[in-house]
Amino acid sequence: MLLYMSDNDTGLGGEALSSREHAAIDVDQQIDSSFAQGGDAELRAAYERYSSLIFTFCRRSLGAGPAADAAQETFVSAWRSRESYDPAKGSVAGWLVGIARFKVIEQLRRSGRDSGSLEVPPGGVPETTDINLERIADRMLLAEALDHLGPRVRTVIELAFLDDLTQAEIAERCSLPLGTVKSDLRRGVERLRRHLSSPTGGVR
């Protein structure tokens, strides 16, 4: 999915954010801004917000038991390396999923398993396993971000990028002013782009 729009493609018109969008954005932004320098409260907030996402991602390749261990290792590793997290480069959600991907690969190497249908040679996990995990991570982060968009913004994003409709076509189909469609696209794309960023650096 290409999450790019030029300044000429977006506008400032449109309606205000919904209360649900405000709440989700406020929580995510607070976690992103405070995680690196935070304490136990910040760790607890990140865990409560993203533990389900991380566990589900790990379970897709490892099964429930190993997934619980991998998810725990993810948060321990993230907390120990929290000062390396840079909110300017992406969200905590993307950072955590990037770390979880490394933890899943480590588990697969230790057990000699693969991510589903791949057969792992004695030397380790084949490159395609990492590619599959990255695709799963991207899909899950995209779903996570879409879930926290308001219903109207989500509909506009899906019509633009999944159904490939123009802004004018979206406005007509949804009975919205064109300025509202442009504003929704801009807001949604910025949120999705940030959520899909994964500034893992060298964290494992």
Side-chain angles (χ1 to χ4, degrees), residues 34 57 135 137 143 181:
S34 63
F57 170 73
R135 289 172 179 167
V181 172

Side-chain angles (χ1 to χ4, degrees), residues 79-128:
W79 192 240
R80 289 173 175 169
S81 306
R82 64 188 181 279
E83 292 183 359
S84 68
Y85 167 69
D86 184 354
K89 295 181 179 179
S91 66
V92 167
W95 190 62
L96 287 170
V97 169
I99 297 171
R101 186 161 58 88
F102 290 123
K103 298 304 179 184
V104 167
I105 291 173
E106 288 176 355
Q107 289 264 16
L108 294 174
R109 285 176 174 154
R110 287 197 295 264
S111 65
R113 293 169 51 209
D114 61 9
S115 63
S117 61
L118 298 173
E119 184 172 350
V120 182
V125 178
E127 183 180 357
T128 48

Side-chain angles (χ1 to χ4, degrees), residues 181-202:
V181 172
K182 291 181 177 181
S183 178
D184 285 349
L185 282 172
R186 177 181 181 179
R187 186 164 70 240
V189 165
E190 287 176 351
R191 183 162 172 77
L192 292 178
R193 184 187 292 123
R194 174 172 176 78
H195 215 69
L196 289 170
S197 298
S198 180
T200 53

Side-chain angles (χ1 to χ4, degrees), residues 39-52:
D40 291 345
E42 284 70 26
L43 173 61
R44 184 164 52 253
Y47 182 82
E48 290 175 352
R49 175 69 177 83
Y50 301 121
S51 59
S52 178

